[in-house]
């Protein structure tokens, strides 16, 4: 008998909008991701600062890693860097398949891009209280 893990898994990454991609693709990414994530029981948050993405994904490990690989192959993103990944005790964003917000601070995601592991996760969690999340 194969044991299927019910453990939640999360990935936090940053990437940069490809230079040739128009800003209009960001809305398309969010709209399509909401539908796709809901079908795969993935929840999370996408933050955009006009140039960089920061996204936290949560769900089953297999589903999250498969989605991360699709994102890595997406030509609208460049310089994808995983800041944190691992097991997650409780979903942070269970009320929506993909929350989306824009940050006005030009350097907040740039600073996060320089972090790794727990400091990156702490910075992400600190940013959450300052965001106006659209569900």
């Amino acid at each position: 008998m194969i044991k299927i893990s019910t453990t939640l898994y999360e990935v936090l990454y940053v990437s940069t909008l490809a230079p040739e991609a128009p800003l209009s693709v960001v809305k398309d990414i969010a709209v399509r991701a909401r539908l796709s994530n809901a079908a795969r029981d993935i929840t999370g948050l996408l933050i955009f600062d006009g140039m960089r993405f920061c996204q936290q994904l949560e769900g089953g490990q297999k589903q999250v890693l498969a989605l991360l690989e699709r994102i890595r192959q997406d030509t609208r993103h460049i310089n994808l860097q995983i800041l944190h990944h691992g097991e997650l005790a409780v979903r942070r964003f269970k009320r929506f398949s993909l929350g989306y917000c824009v940050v006005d601070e030009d350097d907040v995601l740039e600073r996060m891009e320089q972090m790794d592991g727990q400091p990156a996760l702490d910075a992400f969690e600190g940013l959450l209280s300052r965001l106006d999340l659209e569900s």
Side-chain angles (χ1 to χ4, degrees):
M1 178 179 223
I2 297 174
K3 183 178 180 182
I4 297 174
S5 174
T6 58
T7 304
L8 286 174
Y9 191 79
E10 75 174 330
V11 170
L12 177 65
Y13 76 86
V14 292
S15 65
T16 303
L17 182 65
E20 65 279 357
L23 284 176
S24 61
V25 303
V26 176
K27 183 176 182 179
D28 184 52
I29 288 170
V31 168
R32 290 177 188 262
R34 283 181 175 148
L35 296 172
S36 176
N37 289 1
R40 291 172 175 80
D41 195 29
I42 293 175
T43 53
L45 175 66
L46 177 65
I47 303 169
F48 185 64
D49 71 0
M51 186 169 93
R52 285 179 190 79
F53 297 98
C54 176
Q55 185 165 220
Q56 187 267 1
L57 301 167
E58 54 194 25
Q61 183 175 8
K62 182 178 178 181
Q63 292 83 1
V64 168
L65 292 178
L67 174 55
L68 183 64
E69 189 54 34
R70 283 193 300 279
I71 293 167
R72 193 182 300 276
Q73 300 300 319
D74 188 332
T75 59
R76 298 171 293 185
H77 296 260
I78 59 171
N79 303 328
L80 187 139
Q81 293 177 246
I82 296 173
L83 304 179
H84 167 80
H85 64 94
E87 291 185 1
L88 178 66
V90 176
R91 288 182 191 259
R92 289 184 184 91
F93 304 106
K94 59 184 163 197
R95 69 178 193 181
F96 40 69
S97 60
L98 180 71
Y100 172 73
C101 65
V102 175
V103 292
D104 295 328
E105 302 168 59
D106 291 338
D107 64 342
V108 69
L109 298 185
E110 182 178 4
R111 286 192 315 266
M112 282 186 66
E113 199 171 37
Q114 306 306 313
M115 298 176 188
D116 194 19
Q118 193 61 49
L121 192 56
D122 292 344
F124 175 74
E125 289 175 346
L127 180 61
L128 294 180
S129 64
R130 302 189 330 239
L131 298 177
D132 180 23
L133 299 178
E134 300 173 14
S135 58

